Amino acid sequence: MKDDIRSRAHRELDHIFKTLLPAQGLPERPAQVKLSHRMLDAMLGGGIALCDAGTGSGKTFAYLAAGTVYARARAAGGLAFQPILISTSSIALQKAVLEEYLPLLSKALLADGKIRRPIRGVIRKGKSRYVCDQRLEERLKAVDLKKKNKKAAQALLSLKEWLDTDEADHLSGYDRRQVCVPAVCSCQRTSCRYQTFLKSCESGRYLFQICNHNLLLADAIHRDSGRRPIFPEACALIIDEAHKLPEAARQMFSVTLSAENVHDLVVSLRQERFLLAAETLERQSRPLVRELASPPEGKPFSKFASQLGALDQVLASVQKQLNGLLSSGTSAQLKRVATAASLLAQPSPDVVCYAGEGEDGGTVLQATPVDLTARLRRTLWLPGRAAILTSGTLAAGGNFRRFKEEAGLMADSRVTESISPSPFDYQKNCLLYLPPEPPVGSGSHYYGQLAQMAAALLGAAHGHALALFTSYAAMAAVKELLRRGGTAYPVFTLGRSAVHTIEQFKSRPGSVLLASGPAWEGMDFPGDCVSLLIIPKLPFPIPDPWKERERGNYPTLRQFIRAVVVPEMQVKLKQGFGRAIRTETDTCVVAILDERAAKGGRYHRDMLAALPDLPVTDSLAEVERFIRRVKPERYFQEVGR
């Protein structure tokens, strides 16, 4: 892009952050402005910017402002309109971008006369999240709403107004599957709301098209295989929460099989009146489906071998018998499940097969290609298309090496790197506690020590605690021991899917939440409800077949640990630590009780390198003095209210 357009774009960005946004009540943050300029530079030059941006650094406004200015610079240079894709891993962030950040940025630019109409964005989801009008009509005719749960019936009826099934509270999973747009959509209705929505997305109305990582990768796979793209051609990618991209890529480039896949196929065969095939498939797959419906919890992939072989055989038989008789949707469904079963039953040397945890807490079998990073380079990091990748946990121990390896960016000359520290005052508002004698050993003896230390910390901090465990077994053991000990603070445990538990925890001041899994990131606890964060164990990754294969790339175990295992632990620790301080006024004690993190411990320095600079103590009395100093008097009167 020409130098005069580039210079004008950077001046405009300065004007937004130094004049327009402050006029809307947002303070000027020099680090945020610098970050946005880095992002704009990458966009203007077709580069790939890796931006580690700590909590509170304002990365969302940074990339939205940079993207808006970039689009104006393209127009000034005579380039045709192309949207910008924003990919995140959470619906909450997608909604915040659309409903909070973009309206405020638009308001500032409209007031200054920079734009004539608000900046538009649209959230894009996969087909299964949208209503098929024809299937909805068929479902409403087939079901007796009077016999249905009242809320579920109302949710089903509300889909006459809502295109997005996520907007229909209390919609059952079965109803969702019955009315959603099928994988093969061949609707010819002129009034189809889904097709109208797609045309609107292709029309150029929206500068920002917002999706999750899986849909972004699905679009890349479609383009690479010559299938119809999901999104219009984009001039830039913005990937927020980018630390989750490699895991999303493992899912999207993998062939997967779950209990739901098999169950849905059985239902489809029944609906098309192929009852014998449905009954045979259900009977033969029952042992496998039973295993897949429960959590993986360390199950080796080999446990599923014989059951997969049986499923492969029955699916091959069903395909042969029903060839040419099924509808296009069910035929495609049968082909997907049969392909997955065949590949998993007879894996090739080019894939790694393993059992992972699905979104519903059950087991998902995956066959992931060994050349994952090569596929990312070919499908996502296209020549000439700018990409901004940002997150608070892209860098591990101060460098991006591990992320670049996983994302296929190690050898890309377009990559630039930057770290924007959080503006929060951790020296003043946070204290790290490392016990002089951390719990050691294993089993009941270790859990007893851990519960005793947790109880002492709860007393020093007057509850208001979140404890992040690396295993559900440890969480359950500590909960039981705290209960037996008669703790004065209400104790809640967060299972794999218990949103109501978070609401209960937040509504009971002074209470304690024991959590694992998803609670390590993405959950927001501002204010005093988390004034003590307890991390019993450093969150080292759990060994799996993928890691075992990666281990073979390193000459020694030590090199593998330093290059892969430690960086992944540091990223996860940063994510967990981020639950402690969410706003500039939050104050919190973070207690890491792992003996390996203690002074002189094997990973003490690695632990410190993952965290911001903050004071450290080994004194419980200092923990109590800190809490007394930073908390208001009402804080100490909240327990039991």
Side-chain angles (χ1 to χ4, degrees):
M1 198 161 287
K2 294 179 180 180
D3 289 343
D4 60 330
I5 295 178
R6 182 185 295 269
S7 298
R8 195 184 315 147
H10 280 289
R11 287 196 300 270
E12 186 172 329
L13 195 62
D14 269 335
H15 183 56
I16 289 173
F17 282 106
K18 296 181 179 182
T19 304
L20 302 187
L21 290 179
Q24 300 297 323
L26 296 181
E28 180 186 340
R29 297 177 179 177
Q32 181 187 40
V33 182
K34 189 176 181 181
L35 173 62
S36 191
H37 278 293
R38 291 193 193 106
M39 293 174 169
L40 179 58
D41 263 333
M43 291 179 184
L44 292 169
I48 299 175
L50 305 184
C51 305
D52 187 283
T55 306
S57 59
K59 60 182 171 61
T60 309
F61 268 129
Y63 62 65
L64 288 176
T68 301
V69 170
Y70 175 55
R72 288 169 56 79
R74 281 176 51 85
L79 297 176
F81 172 83
Q82 289 182 328
I84 295 171
L85 296 185
I86 298 177
S87 175
T88 80
S89 70
S90 67
I91 293 175
L93 180 54
Q94 292 170 20
K95 287 186 174 181
V97 168
L98 190 64
E99 299 170 7
E100 299 173 27
Y101 292 97
L102 274 182
L104 185 54
L105 180 59
S106 290
K107 184 179 179 182
L109 292 170
L110 284 166
D112 195 56
K114 285 285 186 293
I115 57 176
R116 294 181 179 180
R117 60 180 64 89
I119 305 165
R120 289 179 171 176
V122 61
I123 294 176
R124 303 287 304 273
K125 300 180 181 181
K127 288 181 180 178
S128 64
R129 294 296 179 181
Y130 296 111
V131 177
C132 169
D133 289 331
Q134 181 173 322
R135 298 185 78 199
L136 176 61
E137 286 181 8
E138 292 170 355
R139 179 62 181 151
L140 288 172
K141 289 178 182 177
V143 68
D144 186 346
L145 294 177
K146 293 179 180 179
K147 295 181 179 180
K148 198 172 180 63
N149 173 279
K150 186 176 180 180
K151 289 184 177 180
Q154 289 174 342
L156 189 59
L157 284 170
S158 74
L159 295 178
K160 290 182 176 181
E161 305 296 329
W162 296 112
L163 175 63
D164 185 344
T165 58
D166 289 335
E167 298 295 336
D169 293 336
H170 308 292
L171 183 69
S172 72
Y174 181 77
D175 280 339
R176 185 191 298 270
R177 290 191 293 272
Q178 295 304 301
V179 303
C180 71
V181 176
V184 179
C185 176
S186 55
C187 181
Q188 301 298 319
R189 295 167 60 128
T190 56
S191 61
C192 173
R193 286 181 293 161
Y194 176 65
Q195 292 296 337
T196 301
F197 172 69
L198 291 185
K199 289 176 184 176
S200 173
C201 293
E202 295 281 349
S203 68
R205 294 179 60 195
Y206 304 107
L207 173 57
F208 295 104
Q209 302 217 7
I210 309 163
C211 65
N212 64 19
H213 298 340
N214 286 26
L215 197 61
L216 173 71
L217 290 162
D219 177 70
I221 293 168
H222 278 217
R223 293 173 184 275
D224 186 55
S225 61
R227 295 159 64 191
R228 181 179 178 180
I230 296 170
F231 300 115
E233 196 70 42
C235 62
L237 302 181
I238 296 173
I239 304 177
D240 200 346
E241 300 175 306
H243 63 280
K244 290 190 173 182
L245 182 66
E247 177 56 35
R250 277 192 282 274
Q251 294 174 9
M252 290 304 297
F253 287 105
S254 296
V255 171
T256 63
L257 183 68
S258 67
E260 185 179 16
N261 297 148
V262 180
H263 173 267
D264 287 351
L265 177 57
V266 170
V267 170
S268 295
L269 291 172
R270 281 205 179 104
Q271 287 177 334
E272 298 199 12
R273 298 292 185 265
F274 294 106
L275 303 182
L276 180 59
E279 182 183 340
T280 303
L281 175 57
E282 184 176 39
R283 185 178 63 255
Q284 293 292 337
S285 65
R286 192 171 292 133
L288 176 62
V289 168
R290 191 181 301 117
E291 286 288 348
L292 294 178
S294 62
E297 294 180 345
K299 296 174 187 172
F301 180 79
S302 57
K303 180 180 180 66
F304 303 93
S306 61
Q307 298 165 345
L308 283 167
L311 179 63
D312 183 27
Q313 290 180 5
V314 71
L315 286 170
S317 175
V318 169
Q319 278 187 303
K320 185 176 181 180
Q321 292 173 11
L322 303 183
N323 183 37
L325 300 177
L326 297 170
S327 67
S328 58
T330 302
S331 178
Q333 187 180 15
L334 173 58
K335 183 178 179 181
R336 284 195 303 274
V337 177
T339 299
S342 178
L343 182 58
L344 289 161
Q346 306 170 57
S348 73
D350 298 328
V351 299
V352 177
C353 295
Y354 56 98
E357 184 170 342
E359 291 182 0
D360 60 354
T363 299
V364 174
L365 301 181
Q366 292 189 200
T368 304
V370 174
D371 65 340
L372 192 61
T373 56
R375 295 198 182 191
L376 278 171
R377 287 193 297 270
R378 187 179 72 239
T379 59
L380 206 55
W381 315 128
L382 303 180
R385 184 174 68 180
I388 309 300
L389 293 90
T390 185
S391 165
T393 52
L394 277 191
N399 74 79
F400 293 83
R401 181 179 180 85
R402 177 59 183 161
F403 177 79
K404 289 194 295 185
E405 285 178 341
E406 289 193 294
L409 292 170
M410 279 298 290
D412 199 314
S413 61
R414 297 174 295 161
V415 172
T416 58
E417 304 170 4
S418 68
I419 296 177
S420 303
S422 169
F424 296 164
D425 190 348
Y426 292 103
Q427 279 289 334
K428 177 184 176 183
N429 293 338
C430 197
L431 177 68
L432 176 62
Y433 172 73
L434 302 176
E437 297 181 7
V440 295
S442 61
S444 59
H445 178 67
Y446 166 76
Y447 293 138
Q449 294 179 76
L450 179 57
Q452 186 176 13
M453 187 166 291
L457 282 162
L458 292 174
H462 292 260
H464 299 82
L466 168 67
L468 291 176
F469 292 85
T470 54
S471 80
Y472 288 100
M475 180 179 76
V478 170
K479 178 190 178 182
E480 177 62 21
L481 290 169
L482 287 175
R483 186 189 65 80
R484 288 183 195 172
T487 180
Y489 310 100
V491 178
F492 300 98
T493 54
L494 187 66
R496 290 178 172 84
S497 56
V499 176
H500 69 281
T501 305
I502 296 176
E503 296 172 357
Q504 290 178 317
F505 168 62
K506 289 182 175 180
S507 68
R508 295 287 300 276
S511 59
V512 181
L513 178 64
L514 311 182
S516 187
W520 278 84
E521 59 178 305
M523 291 186 179
D524 202 19
F525 301 103
D528 287 335
C529 71
V530 173
S531 296
L532 169 65
L533 174 64
I534 300 174
I535 298 178
K537 287 285 189 183
L538 293 175
F540 283 99
I542 298 171
D544 59 33
W546 185 263
K547 288 284 187 302
E548 290 175 10
R549 182 159 194 124
E550 200 171 6
R551 161 72 179 87
N553 298 330
Y554 296 86
T556 67
L557 177 60
R558 177 177 174 77
Q559 287 176 300
F560 171 67
I561 290 173
R562 300 311 307 177
V564 175
V565 177
V566 169
E568 290 195 10
M569 178 275 290
Q570 290 175 315
V571 166
K572 188 83 170 185
L573 180 60
K574 285 174 68 177
Q575 292 164 356
F577 178 85
R579 304 313 101 209
I581 303 288
R582 303 301 298 169
T583 72
E584 293 179 355
T585 58
D586 284 356
T587 52
C588 188
V589 172
V590 178
I592 300 179
L593 310 182
D594 194 323
E595 63 174 322
R596 297 167 295 182
K599 189 174 182 180
R602 184 185 309 171
Y603 298 108
H604 177 73
R605 291 183 179 178
D606 298 312
M607 176 271 298
L608 291 179
L611 304 180
D613 187 23
L614 73 169
V616 183
T617 185
D618 63 358
S619 167
L620 268 176
E622 179 57 30
V623 168
E624 187 161 9
R625 284 194 293 269
F626 173 84
I627 291 292
R628 283 286 177 188
R629 185 173 71 250
V630 300
K631 298 297 181 183
E633 189 58 36
R634 60 172 172 74
Y635 171 92
F636 302 97
Q637 300 167 356
E638 288 182 331
V639 179
R641 281 170 49 186

